[in-house]
Each structure stands twice: as C-alpha cells, then as structure tokens.
Amino acid sequence: MKLLLRYPLVAGTIAALLAVLVLLLSGQPLVAQVAASVYALAVAVYLAVGMVRRLMGGQWGIDILAVTAIVSTVLVGEYIASMIIVLMMAGGTALEDYAAGRAKKELTSLLERVPQTAHRERNGNSAPGLDAAGTDDGGTHAGGQHEDIAATDVQVGDILLVRPGEVVPLDGILLSESGTFDESSLTGESLPVERVAGDALMSGSLNGEAAVRMQVSALMEDSQYSRIVALVKEASESKAPMVRLADRYAVPFTALAYALGAVGWIISGDPARFAEVLVVATPCPLLIAAPVAFLGGMSRAAHSGIIVKYAGVLEQLSRIKTAAFDKTGTLTYGRPALVGVRTSGSLTEDEVLGLAASAEQYSSHVLAASVMDAAGNRGLVFETATEATEFATHGVRARFDGRDVVVGKPNFVAESASGVVETELASGELAIYVGVGGEFAGALVMSDPIRREARRTLTELQSMGVTRTVMLTGDALATAEHIADEAGLTDVRAECLPPDKVEAVRSLPLRPVLMVGDGVNDAPVLAVADVGIAMGARGSTAAGESADVVIILDDLSKVASAVRIGQRTVKVALQSIWIGIALSVALMVAAAAGYVPAIAGALSQELVDLATILNALRALSAGRTRAGTRGQDTGAKGQKAAGGTTGAVAASRLPRSAGQS
C-alpha cells in the first residue's frame, strides 16, 4: 500500500487497466475504449509537459517516443497498447525515484553511526572512573567525575574517558600509559595497533581491552570520522545519474518513423498511411529491450552472490578500464593465519603450537582465536590448565602438569623464559613467542594471507579489457608491495587515509574506474568511484551502503564475475534493441508502402516485442565465456585451507614494528 501511495501513476495505471478489462468483460467495448483513451492521452499530456521542459534544456530522450506512441495508438484505436506503454513509462519513473530514495536512506544510516556522546572529565587531578591499573571501575573518585555530553559539545583540550570496546568520539592525544585500538575502519589495516602516552588517536577507531583517557585535539566537525561522512555525502551528491541506454537511439528512431510516415502519406495521398507507420513504429523494442536485459543481468548477478543496486551500474561495469583495490580484507582475508612454527629447543612444532593454543584458550585476546584455530586444523588436543593468568596487551601464563607456559610478546616471554630471540619476519608477518618450563620454545609466525583467487581475478579482469589495476591501502609500502607482487597489480599507493584514496581515484586517467573495498575507510572512495564494489560478507555496513555493488560472498573472484555480467548484459541489451529496431524499420517500410494495415501492424508489432523480449531474457544465462573463466566463482573455498579464521583481529601485544606494519 505504501508503494502504491508513493507511486500514484503506477497505481492509477493498474487501476485503469483493471477497469478497462472489467468493461470489456461486461460487454462495453466502446466505453472501455473511451476510458482507456482518455486516461492514456491525459498521461501523454503529463509526459509531454516534462518532455518539453527537457527539450528546452537540450535533453532528448525516449519520452518523445513514448508520447508519440501513446497518441498514435489512441488515434488508431489500439487503446490497450497505449495503456501498456503508459504502465511501462510509469514503472520506469517509479524505479528511478525508488533508487534516489534508497540512496538518501543509506546516507542517513551512515550519518546515524557518527559517535553521538562522550564521557568528559570534569575537575580534579585523578582519573575519573579509572582505578590504579587504568581500568574503568564505573564509579567516581573524590578528585573528579566524568559526565556524558553530546560529542558536538566537546571542546579542544577537554579530557575524555573511552571505555573498553567504545568508539573514540573525536580526534585527540592519548593520556593513559598505553592502549590498543582497532583502526581498521579508518586505515583498512586489520591488525589493531598499540598506542602509548602522547600518541595521536583518530575518531572512529575502536578502543581495546582497557579504558583510556585522552585529550581532545579537534572539534567534532574536524575529526577523522566526520570527514569520512562528509566525503561520502559530497561524493554521493556529485555522482551524475546514468543516461538510459535506449535514450541515445530515441531521436534517430523517431525521426526515421516520422520521415517514413510522411513519405507514405505524400506518395499515397492518404493520411491513414502516416498513422499505419506510427503504429508499427511504437518504441516497445526500446522501452522493453534494455529494461528486460538489465533486470535479467541483475538477477543473474544476484544468483551469483552479487547485488547490483541500480541497473545503470551494469552499463558502467561493461566499460571498466581501471580497477582499484583496498588491501586488507579485500585482496587479503583480513585476519592472520599461521604460516609457520619456528622451534628453539627439544619440542616439536606441534608440541609448541599445542601448548600455545592450550594457554591461549584462557585469553580474551582475539589473536588467541587464530592460534587455537591453527591448532585445531592440525587436530591437536588442548590441555587443561591448573591455573592461568592473562596480562592485558602482553600475553598469558598458564600451568599444565607443573610446567609453566608463557605466550605473548618477546619481552613478556623473556621475563619467564631464558634464551628468547626475536625471529626474522617477512613483510606483513608477525610473531607470537612461546616459553615452556622457563626456556624459550619457539615462535608462531602469522600473516594475513593473500586470497587464493586474487591473482586469477586480476588476470580475468585484464582479459576483459581492464588495462590498469591499482592498490590503495593504509598499510606501509613494504607490506603493500609484497601483496601487490603476489597479486600481479600494476600500481601501488600505500599509507593512504580516506581522503588520499578519494583523490587517487579521482586522478586516475583511464575511466570508468572500479573500486573494491570493505571498511568504513573505504566508504568515501567507493562512493566517488564510477563503480564501487563492497566486499559485504565481512565488511562494514557503511562500505556496503556507499557502494553500487555488494558482494555477499567472501569471494574476490565475484568482482570479475560482476564485470563479465555487466558486459554480457549490455551486449544482450544492444542486440535486443537492434533486433527490435531492424524489425520495426522493416515493418515501417512495408507500412509506408501500404502493405501493412493498422490492425496487422499492431499484431506485427507484438511479434517484434516478443522477439525483443525473448532475446533480452538471454541476459539471465551465463553465456559463453573465455576458456578457464566460466564457473570460477569458488575462490572462497580455499580460505580455510589458507588458515583463515573468523572474527576480528587484534595485535595489541605485538611489537609495534609488527603490529603496525
């Protein structure tokens, strides 16, 4: 009911069609014809007003054909056909309006996620709400208090309390001794970083396991997350709407129809000849072919786990020349996996991993999940500890049958085990150190692996005409280049914040540009790209809402599938349009020569429409593809084998050199 009230022209046309059918069934064909004709002409006048306004603005479109078709079919008595044309036009307008409303709704949803409140410290020298260890006790100390106020009311210099798991509301400076923050929503880096007193904090980052104090350095409107929201809004408003595919054929087709009709009228001297030509010149092939093909393409994409928000996106996908990718969570799995166990002593790799996992089961640290998953994949059995203690941001100690096991940072392990030696790490790797029985036992080397389907996906894109591939990431250059070499990327832009990514995409010369990402930090660049694709299976909601395409499966190869579907859809749509135009022109020529009466012309036009629709429905099928590319949508299957685990990733007890790479 809400949809009908929102789109009255669609509702009115459906109601009018039902009324006409009732009149026909009740034996009142003349009344039915008059009612349908009056309604169709009224809609034609309404469309003509808008058409004239657009013509005055220099815009020519398919509305010219629609008005011509409605009037001509009414004049020759084909009132049912005129009603069908009206319904198609009304439905198309409603779909465009719905897409615009959806865009506003998504933007509103993003704005609602901006931090709204902050815990501001009032007076006093002690840390309000913090005990001696720096953790939030939820109370108030004699020396001061904290109060909840609107984030927009916070001033530069105010001291805020950020509780565990809360979003940092504004940019500032860390006052606490140390803290762990997940900045993946801003930089795209999956491994949370450790900050110490005096380090800068960015709004939008997620606090870790302990409450911290910070001093505000920027107002709400000047903070990082607010700038991201502003960029999304600006990009969304500046993105030009797609010109409908069929519009470009409207003017020459209409001109040809009028010309042939006039020739037939002049040669025969009969004005009915002009009407007969217009009957077979109805723009149904143009009105139907592209929408049916594009709807078929969207259905095909959805069947493959690819949600295309607007039909016009498929046309853009078909012409992509440059593809840009975020790294973490897009080209990689976005979570660390065990790549090796380096032993130092008499214990085997499985024994070191098994003891480390047994100790990590008593840790709330999210890296513990990766260690336990790695041990579980090897079929190792976890031991039960007689006692276990976790030391936040450092590691965990546990006792198994009188033997102490220590897991965590090298300095932490060195306090309880002798002979600790930091292991050499390649780009993008990190190490978790293990001590057993007072001696260094080894290190677990972990890495965020590149997706198995990444190189194949890039190869497929290049085979489909994507001549340039770019990585845009917040990671360090060395890590980015390591992944780029493995994936086969042609260009690397590292250490990028959201505004840097936006400017990079805007500056790329080969258009259209496709951007693939998965975090809040990718939302602005997804919105400003010609086509934004969000890895929605594990990415942020903001990225999904800013994107034109959302991949609901955790499979990068779907990016190539989306481009392939776009190319096939446009190919089928153009074929259908040209088939319809060719058949219509043949009928127009025959009608101008006097061989196609009005009634026969109307029936023939229905056959043209049927041929056009049947051909357009081919977009629902996969079609023939290049060898080696069909059915390759299973890239995610290798995820578990590559060591991927579920859940977020943290590295608060890692050395800064590894955790921030």
Side-chain angles (χ1 to χ4, degrees):
M1 184 58 68
K2 289 182 179 179
L3 290 175
L4 293 178
L5 293 175
R6 185 175 180 181
Y7 306 116
L9 187 56
V10 176
T13 305
I14 294 174
L17 272 173
L18 293 175
V20 168
L21 291 176
V22 170
L23 289 171
L24 288 174
L25 293 175
S26 62
Q28 302 181 62
L30 182 59
V31 177
Q33 181 174 356
V34 172
S37 299
V38 170
Y39 181 83
L41 290 174
V43 174
V45 171
Y46 171 76
L47 293 175
V49 172
M51 179 188 70
V52 171
R53 291 176 179 173
R54 283 186 288 273
L55 288 174
M56 293 177 64
Q59 297 180 2
W60 293 71
I62 205 168
D63 292 342
I64 301 173
L65 280 173
V67 172
T68 304
I70 292 171
V71 174
S72 62
T73 49
V74 168
L75 291 177
V76 299
E78 296 294 333
Y79 56 94
I80 296 295
S82 66
M83 294 289 287
I84 293 175
I85 295 173
V86 169
L87 182 60
M88 287 189 293
M89 290 299 299
T93 303
L95 286 175
E96 291 179 357
D97 182 56
Y98 173 77
R102 176 66 182 274
K104 292 179 182 178
K105 179 180 178 182
E106 292 168 352
L107 179 59
T108 301
S109 179
L110 178 62
L111 292 172
E112 289 174 350
R113 282 190 297 277
V114 176
Q116 300 295 319
T117 60
H119 314 303
R120 183 172 65 181
E121 183 175 322
R122 288 178 176 171
N123 299 310
N125 298 321
S126 64
L130 298 178
D131 60 21
T135 58
D136 181 19
D137 62 13
T140 302
H141 290 264
Q145 296 177 329
H146 64 266
E147 57 184 349
D148 291 346
I149 65 170
T152 52
D153 294 336
V154 177
Q155 301 298 314
V156 174
D158 285 350
I159 297 177
L160 305 180
L161 169 70
V162 184
R163 296 191 176 108
E166 286 188 341
V167 173
V168 176
L170 300 97
D171 291 352
I173 304 298
L174 181 63
L175 298 180
S176 298
E177 182 180 346
S178 64
T180 303
F181 300 88
D182 182 354
E183 298 178 352
S184 60
S185 63
L186 299 167
T187 65
E189 172 54 53
S190 64
L191 302 176
V193 297
E194 183 177 316
R195 301 298 184 194
V196 297
D199 284 351
L201 300 180
M202 292 188 291
S203 62
S205 56
L206 186 67
N207 188 24
E209 304 164 346
V212 297
R213 296 171 69 228
M214 61 171 285
Q215 186 172 37
V216 176
S217 61
L219 297 175
M220 184 68 179
E221 59 268 24
D222 299 323
S223 291
Q224 185 70 27
Y225 194 87
S226 296
R227 289 199 293 268
I228 290 178
V229 172
L231 284 168
V232 173
K233 185 175 182 180
E234 176 188 354
S236 299
E237 291 176 350
S238 65
K239 182 175 287 187
M242 285 289 298
V243 177
R244 286 174 293 180
L245 182 66
D247 284 356
R248 66 193 64 169
Y249 302 97
V251 175
F253 186 79
T254 303
L256 179 61
Y258 277 119
L260 288 175
V263 170
W265 186 354
I266 292 171
I267 293 177
S268 65
D270 184 4
R273 192 69 59 84
F274 183 77
E276 290 171 353
V277 172
L278 291 184
V279 168
V280 296
T282 54
C284 289
L286 297 181
L287 288 169
I288 294 174
V292 170
F294 278 88
L295 286 174
M298 293 173 74
S299 297
R300 175 66 189 173
H303 181 73
S304 301
I306 305 166
I307 304 301
V308 179
K309 294 185 179 180
Y310 319 114
V313 173
L314 289 171
E315 184 177 0
Q316 286 281 57
L317 280 170
S318 70
R319 300 186 293 112
I320 292 297
K321 296 300 180 185
T322 302
F325 298 85
D326 175 46
K327 183 188 78 68
T328 306
T330 302
L331 291 171
T332 68
Y333 289 109
R335 45 190 172 263
L338 182 71
V339 295
V341 180
R342 298 176 184 174
T343 62
S344 177
S346 60
L347 297 180
T348 65
E349 290 187 4
D350 282 354
E351 287 174 334
V352 172
L353 177 59
L355 288 171
S358 298
E360 290 281 35
Q361 66 182 323
Y362 299 100
S363 171
S364 59
H365 197 288
V366 289
L367 267 182
S370 298
V371 175
M372 289 188 288
D373 281 351
N377 290 336
R378 294 195 182 188
L380 303 179
V381 178
F382 298 170
E383 298 183 23
T384 302
T386 55
E387 60 179 274
T389 305
E390 181 177 18
F391 296 82
T393 76
H394 295 287
V396 61
R397 287 177 183 164
R399 179 178 290 270
F400 301 94
D401 295 329
R403 183 168 54 172
D404 289 329
V405 176
V406 186
V407 183
K409 288 182 177 180
N411 292 339
F412 174 72
V413 174
E415 294 176 0
S416 305
S418 61
V420 174
V421 178
E422 294 194 27
T423 186
E424 293 185 4
L425 299 173
S427 295
E429 291 183 342
L430 57 91
I432 300 173
Y433 294 82
V434 183
V436 179
E439 295 182 357
F440 179 50
L444 310 179
V445 180
M446 310 191 81
S447 176
D448 184 8
I450 187 173
R451 292 178 181 268
R452 289 192 171 186
E453 70 271 20
R455 177 172 284 278
R456 171 167 52 84
T457 299
L458 292 170
T459 300
E460 290 182 29
L461 288 173
Q462 291 169 359
S463 70
M464 290 184 284
V466 180
T467 56
R468 186 174 184 180
T469 54
V470 184
M471 178 194 291
L472 303 176
T473 178
D475 281 0
L477 181 61
T479 302
E481 289 180 337
H482 173 72
I483 296 297
D485 289 341
E486 289 190 54
L489 287 154
T490 58
D491 190 3
V492 178
R493 314 283 179 90
E495 300 177 3
C496 295
L497 288 175
D500 302 324
K501 292 185 179 182
V502 169
E503 290 305 316
V505 166
R506 283 177 172 164
S507 66
L508 291 172
L510 295 178
R511 319 293 297 195
V513 174
L514 175 152
M515 176 68 199
V516 189
D518 76 322
V520 175
N521 66 297
D522 297 320
V525 70
L526 290 178
V528 80
D530 297 307
V531 177
I533 298 184
M535 298 290 290
R538 59 178 300 274
S540 74
T541 306
E545 291 181 349
S546 300
D548 304 295
V549 180
V550 177
I551 296 175
I552 61 176
L553 303 175
D554 198 14
D555 184 356
L556 186 63
S557 69
K558 298 297 183 182
V559 174
S561 298
V563 174
R564 188 183 307 114
I565 290 172
Q567 291 181 347
R568 173 166 172 77
T569 299
V570 171
K571 179 180 179 181
V572 169
L574 289 174
Q575 287 178 346
S576 302
I577 288 173
W578 280 111
I579 288 174
I581 288 176
L583 294 175
S584 294
V585 169
L587 287 173
M588 283 191 290
V589 172
Y595 295 111
V596 184
I599 295 178
L603 294 174
S604 300
Q605 188 62 42
E606 295 304 318
L607 294 177
V608 173
D609 296 346
L610 180 61
T612 301
I613 291 172
L614 290 176
N615 189 76
L617 286 174
R618 291 171 49 235
L620 285 167
S621 63
R624 294 182 179 180
T625 59
R626 295 178 179 86
T629 62
R630 187 171 184 174
Q632 292 185 353
D633 291 336
T634 58
K637 291 181 180 178
Q639 179 178 336
K640 187 172 183 180
T645 60
T646 59
V649 177
S652 61
R653 62 180 192 237
L654 300 175
R656 288 172 59 83
S657 59
Q660 296 182 19
S661 62

